[in-house]
Amino acid sequence: MTSLSSPDTSRAARRSGLMERAITKLLMRPARVVAAEFVSEHFRFIDVEGEALTACDWSAGDKVQVKLDGGLITRTYTPIGWDKARGRTRFLTYCHGAGPGGAWARSTSPGDQRHLFGPRSSLDLRDSGVSPVLVGDETSFALAACQRDDRGAASGSRFVFEVNSLAESRAVLGAIGIVPAALVERRDDDGHLAELCEAVSASAGHASIFVLTGKAQSIQQVSRALKAGGIDASRLRTKAYWAPGKLGLD
Ligand SMILES: Cc1cc2nc3c(=O)[nH]c(=O)nc-3n(C[C@H](O)[C@H](O)[C@H](O)COP(=O)(O)OP(=O)(O)OC[C@H]3O[C@@H](n4cnc5c(N)ncnc54)[C@H](O)[C@@H]3O)c2cc1C
């Protein structure tokens, strides 16, 4: 019978532990959770603070990977703001399913020590024009929150989301000042995607840039519909946030 802790296995474990510590120290910024508040049953604000976050340059749309327990496992979130002087940022997380990201978002509490990789560029919204159309789902609400101006109003931008719960999403979007937003209820057989494509087309202005995020397959379908409707590919910015069966996209 093979021993579970043969010399080979423990050497490999030691090596991977060393590598994890080296990568964490070299590339990641230590920080700790200082506040975690449910906005609704499935959405949570998580505030993270650390001296290392005072030395970051952040732009709206950037991503941060949060290192979770169990090796070099990270999950990606969109900071909704960055207080450089205090070294503090905030995530708006969608707590779904049983994956490590969802589990962390649901259960973290003040004092939780984490390491962050980033902020790094993901979607550059600086050239998105006066009236971008932001399309996505629950995981895109944080990106939408980045579109608010200094007064907290989402001026100019238009928002279209596919969501599991219309009522919950409307309440959360209201709480973060993303009003109005067109919401389409998700169906298991994706039968709602035609309605989603129509809602996106209806939101388009002449000079709009379309920022498509969220579920990979929905992005593909909306993108195809927009191009079929005569929208040039140069007006599309796309970034898949998750895809069924894939783990931890970044
Ligand atoms: C650039 C970028 C920015 C992001 N910003 C945010 C953000 O600000 N807030 C946020 O909540 N999320 C955000 N996400 C999405 C988040 O990283 C993913 O949802 C991630 O997969 C969650 O990790 P997990 O461990 O819960 O699930 P995983 O272990 O990665 O996946 C487990 C299973 O759950 C499925 N799954 C993953 N996400 C969802 C979902 N939303 N709904 C249903 N099934 C899902 C997977 O496809 C897989 O089958 C972002 C992703 C990227 C790439």
Side-chain angles (χ1 to χ4, degrees):
M1 200 167 83
T2 316
S3 159
L4 283 177
S5 57
S6 69
D8 279 356
T9 322
S10 25
R11 247 197 312 275
R14 262 200 312 277
R15 255 202 312 273
S16 92
L18 274 174
M19 200 186 305
E20 179 195 337
R21 281 194 294 280
I23 291 174
T24 303
K25 196 166 172 208
L26 272 175
L27 300 178
M28 296 189 171
R29 301 172 197 275
R32 70 180 189 290
V33 173
V34 290
E37 178 202 343
F38 277 101
V39 198
S40 69
E41 187 185 348
H42 296 99
F43 289 86
R44 205 167 187 209
F45 284 128
I46 299 174
D47 292 11
V48 174
E49 200 171 289
E51 204 188 323
L53 308 193
T54 59
C56 299
D57 287 321
W58 167 83
S59 301
D62 281 356
K63 64 184 174 185
V64 163
Q65 284 163 266
V66 178
K67 183 172 178 289
L68 303 173
D69 296 334
L72 278 174
I73 296 176
T74 62
R75 290 295 182 265
T76 312
Y77 296 97
T78 309
I80 64 174
W82 203 286
D83 183 340
K84 200 170 165 171
R86 276 172 87 185
R88 184 168 178 145
T89 188
R90 169 172 274 196
F91 304 118
L92 174 57
T93 56
Y94 180 50
C95 312
H96 68 90
W104 173 72
R106 212 176 290 116
S107 65
T108 188
S109 56
D112 180 17
Q113 299 285 340
R114 290 290 141 196
H115 280 85
L116 310 185
F117 184 42
R120 292 190 298 142
S121 170
S122 176
L123 269 168
D124 190 350
L125 301 178
R126 281 171 299 189
D127 67 342
S128 57
V130 285
S131 54
V133 181
L134 199 150
V135 185
D137 62 15
E138 294 90 347
T139 61
S140 317
F141 287 6
L143 183 69
C146 295
Q147 293 291 86
R148 289 171 306 184
D149 62 23
D150 293 340
R151 289 165 291 117
S155 55
S157 308
R158 279 160 286 180
F159 304 94
V160 185
F161 300 108
E162 59 169 331
V163 296
N164 288 321
S165 163
L166 295 177
E168 182 178 14
S169 296
R170 206 163 276 133
V172 173
L173 289 165
I176 59 171
I178 305 301
V179 182
L183 300 184
V184 175
E185 193 166 23
R186 202 180 259 126
R187 276 176 37 182
D188 288 343
D189 64 358
D190 277 348
H192 65 288
L193 287 181
E195 194 190 334
L196 181 70
C197 293
E198 275 169 32
V200 175
S201 299
S203 302
H206 285 301
S208 300
I209 291 288
F210 297 85
V211 180
L212 313 182
T213 62
K215 185 179 176 186
Q217 289 76 1
S218 306
I219 293 174
Q220 268 176 0
Q221 190 128 339
V222 171
S223 177
R224 235 180 274 131
L226 286 170
K227 287 180 196 162
I231 302 291
D232 193 82
S234 63
R235 290 171 60 193
L236 307 185
R237 309 270 184 281
T238 63
K239 176 73 190 161
Y241 281 4
W242 66 279
K246 300 256 193 233
L247 304 183
L249 295 186
D250 78 279

